[in-house]
Short mmCIF file of all heavy atoms in Angstrom, two decimals:
data_model
loop_
_atom_site.label_atom_id
_atom_site.label_comp_id
_atom_site.label_asym_id
_atom_site.label_seq_id
_atom_site.Cartn_x
_atom_site.Cartn_y
_atom_site.Cartn_z
N LEU B 11 19.86 -39.15 -38.69
CA LEU B 11 19.42 -40.51 -39.05
C LEU B 11 18.31 -40.40 -40.07
O LEU B 11 17.45 -39.51 -39.99
CB LEU B 11 18.86 -41.26 -37.85
CG LEU B 11 19.68 -41.48 -36.60
CD1 LEU B 11 19.36 -40.41 -35.58
CD2 LEU B 11 19.39 -42.83 -36.00
N VAL B 12 18.30 -41.36 -40.99
CA VAL B 12 17.19 -41.50 -41.93
C VAL B 12 16.69 -42.93 -41.81
O VAL B 12 17.47 -43.88 -41.98
CB VAL B 12 17.63 -41.20 -43.37
CG1 VAL B 12 16.45 -41.38 -44.32
CG2 VAL B 12 18.20 -39.78 -43.47
N LYS B 13 15.42 -43.07 -41.51
CA LYS B 13 14.82 -44.39 -41.32
C LYS B 13 13.55 -44.50 -42.16
O LYS B 13 13.00 -43.49 -42.61
CB LYS B 13 14.47 -44.61 -39.84
CG LYS B 13 15.68 -44.59 -38.91
CD LYS B 13 16.56 -45.79 -39.13
CE LYS B 13 17.73 -45.78 -38.16
NZ LYS B 13 18.62 -46.97 -38.38
N ARG B 14 13.12 -45.73 -42.33
CA ARG B 14 11.89 -45.98 -43.09
C ARG B 14 10.74 -46.23 -42.12
O ARG B 14 10.93 -46.70 -40.99
CB ARG B 14 12.06 -47.17 -44.02
CG ARG B 14 13.11 -46.92 -45.09
CD ARG B 14 12.91 -47.85 -46.29
NE ARG B 14 13.88 -47.53 -47.33
CZ ARG B 14 13.69 -46.57 -48.24
NH1 ARG B 14 12.60 -45.84 -48.22
NH2 ARG B 14 14.60 -46.33 -49.15
N THR B 15 9.56 -45.93 -42.57
CA THR B 15 8.34 -46.17 -41.79
C THR B 15 8.30 -47.62 -41.33
O THR B 15 8.56 -48.53 -42.13
CB THR B 15 7.09 -45.86 -42.63
OG1 THR B 15 7.14 -44.49 -43.02
CG2 THR B 15 5.83 -46.10 -41.83
N GLY B 16 8.03 -47.81 -40.05
CA GLY B 16 7.94 -49.16 -39.49
C GLY B 16 9.23 -49.66 -38.87
O GLY B 16 9.21 -50.66 -38.14
N GLU B 17 10.34 -49.01 -39.14
CA GLU B 17 11.61 -49.44 -38.56
C GLU B 17 11.66 -49.11 -37.07
O GLU B 17 11.02 -48.17 -36.60
CB GLU B 17 12.78 -48.74 -39.25
CG GLU B 17 13.16 -49.33 -40.58
CD GLU B 17 14.51 -48.80 -41.07
OE1 GLU B 17 15.54 -49.38 -40.67
OE2 GLU B 17 14.52 -47.81 -41.80
N LYS B 18 12.45 -49.89 -36.36
CA LYS B 18 12.71 -49.60 -34.94
C LYS B 18 13.92 -48.68 -34.87
O LYS B 18 14.92 -48.93 -35.54
CB LYS B 18 12.96 -50.90 -34.19
CG LYS B 18 12.99 -50.75 -32.67
CD LYS B 18 12.96 -52.12 -31.99
CE LYS B 18 12.85 -51.98 -30.48
NZ LYS B 18 12.73 -53.29 -29.81
N VAL B 19 13.80 -47.65 -34.06
CA VAL B 19 14.87 -46.65 -33.99
C VAL B 19 15.32 -46.50 -32.53
O VAL B 19 14.49 -46.42 -31.62
CB VAL B 19 14.38 -45.28 -34.50
CG1 VAL B 19 15.51 -44.27 -34.46
CG2 VAL B 19 13.82 -45.41 -35.92
N PHE B 20 16.63 -46.49 -32.34
CA PHE B 20 17.22 -46.26 -31.02
C PHE B 20 18.00 -44.95 -31.06
O PHE B 20 18.87 -44.77 -31.90
CB PHE B 20 18.19 -47.38 -30.65
CG PHE B 20 17.54 -48.69 -30.36
CD1 PHE B 20 17.31 -49.61 -31.39
CD2 PHE B 20 17.15 -49.04 -29.07
CE1 PHE B 20 16.71 -50.83 -31.13
CE2 PHE B 20 16.56 -50.25 -28.81
CZ PHE B 20 16.34 -51.15 -29.84
N GLY B 63 3.96 -43.43 -28.87
CA GLY B 63 4.83 -43.86 -29.96
C GLY B 63 6.28 -44.00 -29.57
O GLY B 63 7.13 -44.34 -30.40
N ILE B 77 13.40 -44.95 -27.67
CA ILE B 77 13.10 -46.01 -28.63
C ILE B 77 11.81 -45.70 -29.35
O ILE B 77 10.79 -45.37 -28.72
CB ILE B 77 12.98 -47.37 -27.90
CG1 ILE B 77 14.27 -47.66 -27.13
CG2 ILE B 77 12.69 -48.49 -28.91
CD1 ILE B 77 14.08 -48.53 -25.92
N LEU B 78 11.86 -45.78 -30.66
CA LEU B 78 10.67 -45.69 -31.49
C LEU B 78 10.43 -47.11 -32.00
O LEU B 78 11.19 -47.61 -32.83
CB LEU B 78 10.88 -44.73 -32.66
CG LEU B 78 10.92 -43.23 -32.37
CD1 LEU B 78 12.17 -42.84 -31.57
CD2 LEU B 78 10.86 -42.44 -33.67
N GLU B 79 9.42 -47.76 -31.47
CA GLU B 79 9.20 -49.18 -31.80
C GLU B 79 8.88 -49.38 -33.29
O GLU B 79 9.33 -50.34 -33.90
CB GLU B 79 8.06 -49.74 -30.95
CG GLU B 79 8.39 -49.86 -29.48
CD GLU B 79 9.39 -50.96 -29.17
OE1 GLU B 79 9.59 -51.87 -30.02
OE2 GLU B 79 10.01 -50.91 -28.08
N SER B 80 8.13 -48.45 -33.84
CA SER B 80 7.75 -48.53 -35.25
C SER B 80 7.63 -47.11 -35.77
O SER B 80 6.60 -46.46 -35.60
CB SER B 80 6.42 -49.28 -35.40
OG SER B 80 6.02 -49.32 -36.74
N ALA B 81 8.72 -46.63 -36.35
CA ALA B 81 8.80 -45.23 -36.73
C ALA B 81 7.71 -44.84 -37.72
O ALA B 81 7.37 -45.61 -38.64
CB ALA B 81 10.17 -44.92 -37.30
N SER B 82 7.19 -43.63 -37.55
CA SER B 82 6.20 -43.09 -38.49
C SER B 82 6.68 -41.72 -38.96
O SER B 82 7.53 -41.07 -38.33
CB SER B 82 4.83 -42.98 -37.81
OG SER B 82 4.89 -42.08 -36.73
N THR B 83 6.11 -41.29 -40.09
CA THR B 83 6.59 -40.03 -40.69
C THR B 83 6.36 -38.84 -39.76
O THR B 83 7.13 -37.87 -39.79
CB THR B 83 5.90 -39.78 -42.04
OG1 THR B 83 4.48 -39.83 -41.86
CG2 THR B 83 6.31 -40.83 -43.06
N GLN B 85 7.01 -38.69 -36.82
CA GLN B 85 8.07 -38.65 -35.81
C GLN B 85 9.36 -38.05 -36.38
O GLN B 85 10.39 -38.02 -35.70
CB GLN B 85 8.32 -40.05 -35.26
CG GLN B 85 7.15 -40.55 -34.42
CD GLN B 85 7.36 -41.95 -33.87
OE1 GLN B 85 7.68 -42.89 -34.61
NE2 GLN B 85 7.17 -42.11 -32.56
N LEU B 111 16.11 -36.75 -36.86
CA LEU B 111 15.58 -38.00 -37.44
C LEU B 111 14.62 -37.67 -38.57
O LEU B 111 13.70 -36.86 -38.41
CB LEU B 111 14.85 -38.81 -36.36
CG LEU B 111 14.06 -40.03 -36.83
CD1 LEU B 111 15.00 -41.11 -37.38
CD2 LEU B 111 13.20 -40.60 -35.71
N THR B 112 14.83 -38.33 -39.69
CA THR B 112 13.90 -38.25 -40.82
C THR B 112 13.33 -39.64 -41.06
O THR B 112 14.09 -40.60 -41.20
CB THR B 112 14.61 -37.76 -42.09
OG1 THR B 112 15.16 -36.46 -41.84
CG2 THR B 112 13.63 -37.67 -43.26
N VAL B 113 12.01 -39.73 -41.06
CA VAL B 113 11.34 -41.01 -41.32
C VAL B 113 10.66 -40.92 -42.69
O VAL B 113 9.80 -40.05 -42.90
CB VAL B 113 10.32 -41.34 -40.23
CG1 VAL B 113 9.69 -42.72 -40.50
CG2 VAL B 113 10.96 -41.33 -38.85
N LEU B 114 11.08 -41.79 -43.59
CA LEU B 114 10.55 -41.74 -44.96
C LEU B 114 9.36 -42.69 -45.15
O LEU B 114 9.29 -43.72 -44.45
CB LEU B 114 11.66 -42.11 -45.95
CG LEU B 114 12.91 -41.23 -45.87
CD1 LEU B 114 13.99 -41.76 -46.80
CD2 LEU B 114 12.56 -39.80 -46.23
#
Side-chain angles (χ1 to χ4, degrees):
Chain B
L11 303 95
V12 179
K13 297 291 182 181
R14 296 201 176 275
T15 300
E17 281 193 85
K18 190 169 186 176
V19 182
F20 290 89
I77 303 152
L78 288 68
E79 292 289 342
S80 178
S82 62
T83 55
Q85 292 179 308
L111 171 67
T112 301
V113 183
L114 303 175

